[in-house]
Amino acid sequence: MKIIMLGAPGAGKGTHAKGIVDKYKIPTISTGDIFRQNIKEGTELGKKAKSYMDAGDLVPDELVCDLVVDRLQKDDCKNGYILDGFPRTIPQAEALTEALKKQGTAIDYALEIAMEDQAIVDRMAGRRVCAKCGATFHAVNIPPKVEGVCDNCGGELELRDDDKPETVKKRLNVYHEQTAPLIEYYKKQGIHHAVDGTLGVEGVAKAISEILG
Ligand code: AP5
Ligand code: MG
Ligand code: ZN
């Protein structure tokens, strides 16, 4: 099963990808997580990506496409995967479609978590991420057992660098301009499905399982 998670920044792509991973035992490939890991490790890729990410812009397509296409060749992807945060532009989607076509395969589901901008801005202020393992929590909706401490690894929870309200607004604008056109792209392929992102964690998870079966 090959799945793309679509939706604005903060709609819940990462959170709900995790639920799918637990159920279907396929890996998640999150380009945002890959970049954040590279920034932490101080790699060349991380240095290049950081300025774009901090500004709320997209990292250029040429830094993203080969990275993902290479990752999909790995052994753990043979039964499927979830793409979280890729593709994010029409050229990225076309590169993915072409790469898969060469292997004789295609994406099965483009799952959109749909949410209005204002609800996202309100929600993002409460997001907390683990500095050590990257697990995501929410101060109100998904609180950790102990405030400020990761349930999984005991790491410290912090705000993400790009979660400042001005940067969130910039990311939403970039989403509407460059990423939202993918909804039409995948509708044309007949694989687009939308769920209402305001349903809460249980509600969204249930709606997703109904689609995936
Ligand atoms: P990326 O890391 O992908 O960020 P994003 O798309 O902006 O999305 P987020 O991770 O912010 O949100 P999410 O939808 O995963 O929501 P979450 O589950 O955390 O990308 C970051 C940057 O990297 C980009 O800006 C760009 O610069 C660069 N980049 C990455 N990929 C790229 C690409 N392909 N091309 C170019 N550049 C790229 O949930 C949000 C909060 O809500 C959490 O606190 C969570 O606990 C809570 N929550 C989640 N679901 C629910 C629910 N159902 N009910 C209540 N609360 C919920
Ligand atoms: Mg995410
Ligand atoms: Zn952790």
Side-chain angles (χ1 to χ4, degrees), residues 5 12-20 84 136-137 142 201:
M5 303 298 288
K13 301 181 295 297
T15 299
H16 293 288
K18 177 147 193 324
I20 303 173
D84 164 13
T136 300
F137 299 87
I142 311 170
V201 177

Side-chain angles (χ1 to χ4, degrees), residues 18-188:
K18 177 147 193 324
I20 303 173
V21 168
D22 294 345
K23 187 162 170 197
Y24 297 92
K25 315 288 179 222
I26 49 178
T28 303
I29 296 150
S30 159
T31 40
D33 286 351
I34 293 172
F35 290 136
R36 280 185 288 277
Q37 187 64 33
N38 275 273
I39 291 172
K40 213 155 87 180
E41 291 167 1
T43 67
E44 274 312 303
L45 177 66
K47 281 179 198 151
K48 285 185 190 152
K50 186 170 175 18
S51 57
Y52 297 100
M53 290 173 73
D54 285 350
D57 278 321
L58 294 184
V59 174
D61 289 341
E62 57 272 22
L63 291 181
V64 189
C65 290
D66 292 350
L67 178 105
V68 176
V69 170
D70 285 351
R71 177 66 186 82
L72 300 183
Q73 317 294 329
K74 296 245 166 84
D75 240 21
D76 64 338
C77 290
K78 62 179 188 303
N79 294 326
Y81 43 78
I82 306 164
L83 288 169
D84 164 13
F86 180 93
R88 243 184 164 92
T89 62
I90 292 286
Q92 289 182 16
E94 285 170 345
L96 177 65
T97 304
E98 279 311 305
L100 293 180
K101 213 185 252 170
K102 278 190 200 145
Q103 301 171 8
T105 62
I107 295 294
D108 302 300
Y109 296 93
L111 278 183
E112 180 198 355
I113 305 186
M115 246 177 110
E116 299 289 338
D117 286 6
Q118 190 53 51
I120 285 181
V121 173
D122 294 346
R123 189 196 263 181
M124 290 293 250
R127 175 159 65 180
R128 299 290 179 272
V129 292
C130 174
K132 235 162 131 187
C133 78
T136 300
F137 299 87
H138 191 280
V140 180
N141 304 339
I142 311 170
K145 293 195 185 84
V146 180
E147 201 185 316
V149 180
C150 176
D151 288 356
N152 302 340
C153 77
E156 195 181 328
L157 299 184
E158 54 183 24
L159 276 172
R160 227 169 77 177
D161 284 344
D162 56 356
D163 276 352
K164 292 191 239 29
E166 325 81 78
T167 318
V168 170
K169 282 190 191 125
K170 174 72 195 293
R171 286 161 61 204
L172 285 167
N173 289 339
V174 168
Y175 171 78
H176 290 297
E177 274 169 27
Q178 302 195 49
T179 308
L182 295 182
I183 294 170
E184 211 40 54
Y185 181 89
Y186 287 111
K187 273 186 182 164
K188 281 197 189 125

